[in-house]
Every structure is written in C-alpha cells, then in structure tokens.
Amino acid sequence: METEIHFRTATEEDLSSIVAMLADDVLGKERECYEDPLPLSYIKAFQAIVSDSNNELVVACYGNKVIGVEQITFTPYLTHQGGWRATIEGVRTLASVRGSGVGTQLINWAIQRAKERDCHVIQLTTDKKRPNALRFYERLGFKATHEGLKLKLDK
Amino acid sequence: METEIHFRTATEEDLSSIVAMLADDVLGKERECYEDPLPLSYIKAFQAIVSDSNNELVVACYGNKVIGVEQITFTPYLTHQGGWRATIEGVRTLASVRGSGVGTQLINWAIQRAKERDCHVIQLTTDKKRPNALRFYERLGFKATHEGLKLKLDK
C-alpha cells in the first residue's frame, strides 16, 4: 500500500517538527532556537497564526511524519481595484526529502488555496543569498519583477 | 497659523481621495478604476482592511485634505523565533506634494507603528520599474536583500 504525501493545517503537536526544519537551514541555523521545551515565543506565534483567519500554516506529511511547512497570508488591498493577495513565507522541507518534489507540491498547494480565496496574485520574497530558491520559483512560473527590501528594527 | 501634516486611520469618507491617488500613478493608471460612484470592489476591500486588526490603512492629511496613503500589515511568523513583521504596501502621495517629504513621513510613521507592534522587521517590495522608489527606500535605510516574486492568478 503506497503512502502518499498529504497536506493539512498544522496543529500545536507539529510545532516541534516545524521548528526543527526551520533551524536545519543555512540561514535558519543562525537565527532559530530548536530546543526542548521550545522557546515560548514559537508557541505564542503559532497561536497568533492559527487564530487569524487570514493566516494558514500548512504542513506536508508523509504518513504521520511532517516533511514540509509553509505559511500563507491572505491580505485585502485597495490596489488592483481592491484585490486580495496571497503571500507565501517560511517554506521549508525536511533535509532528507529535498529534491523529491515536496517543495513544488507545497507551492502548488498554496497556489490552489490562493485561487480558492479569490486572490489575483500570489507572491513571496526570497533572500538573494538563495540562488537555487530563486530558480526554483522561476521554474514554477513566478516572475522576479520586484525588489524585496527589509529594515531591521531595534527591540 | 501653520497647518501641519497629520496622520490617522482612513475612514470610508477618504476612499474616493485614496483611489484617485492610486489611479494617478504611472503603474496605477493601467489597473485602477477611479469613477463616481467607486466600483464596489474598492468598498469591499476597504471594509475587509479596516475590520482586520492586523491591517491598518493610514492617510496623511494637510488640514482636511488627504495627501498620502499607505497600508501596513502586521503578520505573526514562526521564523526568527516567532517574530512579527510589518509589511508596507500601496504607498502613494498626491502628485502636487511629491518631493516635499510626505513620503518620508509616511514611511517613518509606519516604522514607528511597527515598533509599537513589536515587529522585528519592516518590509516592502517595490516594482523594478520604479528605480526612484528603490533609491527612496534605500535612503531611509531599507536593504534590497531579497527578490520579490509574483505569480498572477487567473480568475
């Protein structure tokens, strides 16, 4: 019997697996903190995400195992005659499944959800330090028409 | 008696002035529809924005006149140890006041709000067709560290 990848909304029980993926990343290892118990800040952020109807945290699973994650934010804007947009952030897959198409399935899942939510565009930013990620998104049809600018804020 | 620029949350009475600014723009004129009465899609988007506690539509006013607009979205993420981010979108100023510093004041206002909301970063994307806008944001301290990718969705 073949086990297929399926997608569902993340639950708090998935949080440890998700943070492990965020931390097992060339940029994430510098800024995440994967320990047991998890820092409270992750739990508070998780609760803020799942209690907001315009945010969805999605996991890809193979059987019971979480092998991928992404967050989709739906935002109403006045521009484009009052069009909604979907923004993808925090896409990660388990190191052992990279290159197997899970990332592509995650993005296609987000595109489908964005259409269901009547968005006219789906967007994301990718760090210029990740050239492979840029090529990955371009292969899926995304166009790098914009510059993505950030300003870090002192706490 | 000097009249100063002040900032406040937009009301539905401001909507016509806002859409006029969105339409009076090199890219906006191709995609917006400023007419009386306004298309219902703008009114529905406005209501969705103001009823969402994680979205703020801000206008800059000179006396009673609306001279600038921006939207700020606050989003909780798991990344960066569960950090909130602020995203700025739809920044426009009245053509007659461009170059007078209103845009800078709008962005500084958004930065202040992002700090009040405990965001660790404030971000935006700007169309590569707007080189002046890129320089404007870089002068304010933003770094173009990311590529901004979009995929248009068929309705």
Side-chain angles (χ1 to χ4, degrees):
Chain A
M1 199 171 76
E2 205 171 314
T3 306
E4 289 206 355
I5 294 169
H6 64 279
F7 299 86
R8 61 170 171 78
T9 303
T11 69
E12 198 161 330
E13 287 67 47
D14 302 317
L15 196 49
S16 179
S17 303
I18 293 170
V19 175
M21 283 189 287
L22 298 179
D24 182 24
D25 171 80
V26 62
L27 300 178
K29 68 184 177 188
E30 305 292 330
R31 61 198 187 200
E32 304 302 341
C33 180
Y34 175 57
E35 57 187 27
D36 185 17
L38 281 178
L40 188 61
S41 58
Y42 287 113
I43 296 161
K44 287 173 74 172
F46 176 83
Q47 289 165 347
I49 294 165
V50 297
S51 65
D52 182 347
S53 62
N54 286 333
N55 272 284
E56 292 184 9
L57 190 67
V58 177
V59 285
C61 301
Y62 183 76
N64 290 326
K65 193 166 178 61
V66 174
I67 60 171
V69 64
E70 69 186 338
Q71 182 172 337
I72 316 170
T73 304
F74 304 98
T75 312
Y77 286 115
L78 289 181
T79 51
H80 293 266
Q81 300 190 36
W84 282 72
R85 297 191 205 182
T87 304
I88 309 173
E89 180 62 52
V91 181
R92 299 289 186 282
T93 55
L94 202 63
S96 58
V97 304
R98 275 174 212 155
S100 69
V102 178
T104 299
Q105 288 186 61
L106 271 167
I107 301 304
N108 285 337
W109 201 93
I111 291 169
Q112 192 53 43
R113 281 296 292 138
K115 288 179 177 176
E116 286 167 15
R117 294 273 305 232
D118 207 28
C119 294
H120 71 94
V121 73
I122 186 163
Q123 61 187 17
L124 57 92
T125 67
T126 183
D127 199 307
K128 290 177 182 174
K129 291 179 197 147
R130 300 188 195 270
N132 290 341
L134 175 62
R135 285 190 290 271
F136 166 75
Y137 291 117
E138 285 179 332
R139 278 197 303 273
L140 289 169
F142 287 80
K143 307 284 183 204
T145 52
H146 286 61
E147 292 283 351
L149 293 107
K150 314 263 174 186
L151 175 66
K152 287 185 187 165
L153 301 174
D154 298 325
K155 287 275 186 171
Chain B
M1 201 171 75
E2 205 172 311
T3 307
E4 289 205 355
I5 294 170
H6 63 278
F7 299 85
R8 60 171 172 75
T9 302
T11 68
E12 198 161 331
E13 286 68 46
D14 302 317
L15 195 49
S16 179
S17 303
I18 294 169
V19 175
M21 283 189 287
L22 298 179
D24 182 24
D25 171 80
V26 62
L27 300 178
K29 67 184 177 189
E30 306 292 331
R31 60 198 189 200
E32 304 302 341
C33 181
Y34 176 55
E35 57 187 27
D36 185 17
L38 281 177
L40 187 61
S41 59
Y42 286 113
I43 296 161
K44 287 172 74 173
F46 176 83
Q47 289 165 348
I49 294 165
V50 297
S51 65
D52 181 346
S53 63
N54 286 334
N55 273 285
E56 293 184 9
L57 190 67
V58 177
V59 285
C61 300
Y62 184 77
N64 290 327
K65 193 165 177 60
V66 174
I67 60 171
V69 64
E70 68 186 341
Q71 182 172 339
I72 316 170
T73 304
F74 304 98
T75 312
Y77 286 115
L78 289 180
T79 52
H80 293 265
Q81 300 190 35
W84 282 73
R85 297 191 205 181
T87 305
I88 309 173
E89 181 63 52
V91 182
R92 299 290 187 282
T93 55
L94 203 62
S96 58
V97 305
R98 274 174 213 156
S100 68
V102 177
T104 299
Q105 288 186 61
L106 271 168
I107 301 304
N108 284 336
W109 201 93
I111 291 170
Q112 191 53 43
R113 281 296 292 138
K115 288 180 177 175
E116 286 167 13
R117 295 272 305 232
D118 207 28
C119 295
H120 70 94
V121 74
I122 186 164
Q123 62 187 17
L124 57 91
T125 67
T126 183
D127 199 307
K128 290 177 181 174
K129 291 180 198 147
R130 299 188 195 269
N132 291 341
L134 175 61
R135 284 190 290 272
F136 166 75
Y137 290 116
E138 286 180 332
R139 277 197 303 274
L140 290 169
F142 286 80
K143 307 284 182 204
T145 51
H146 286 60
E147 292 282 351
L149 294 108
K150 315 261 175 187
L151 174 66
K152 286 185 188 166
L153 302 174
D154 298 326
K155 287 275 185 169

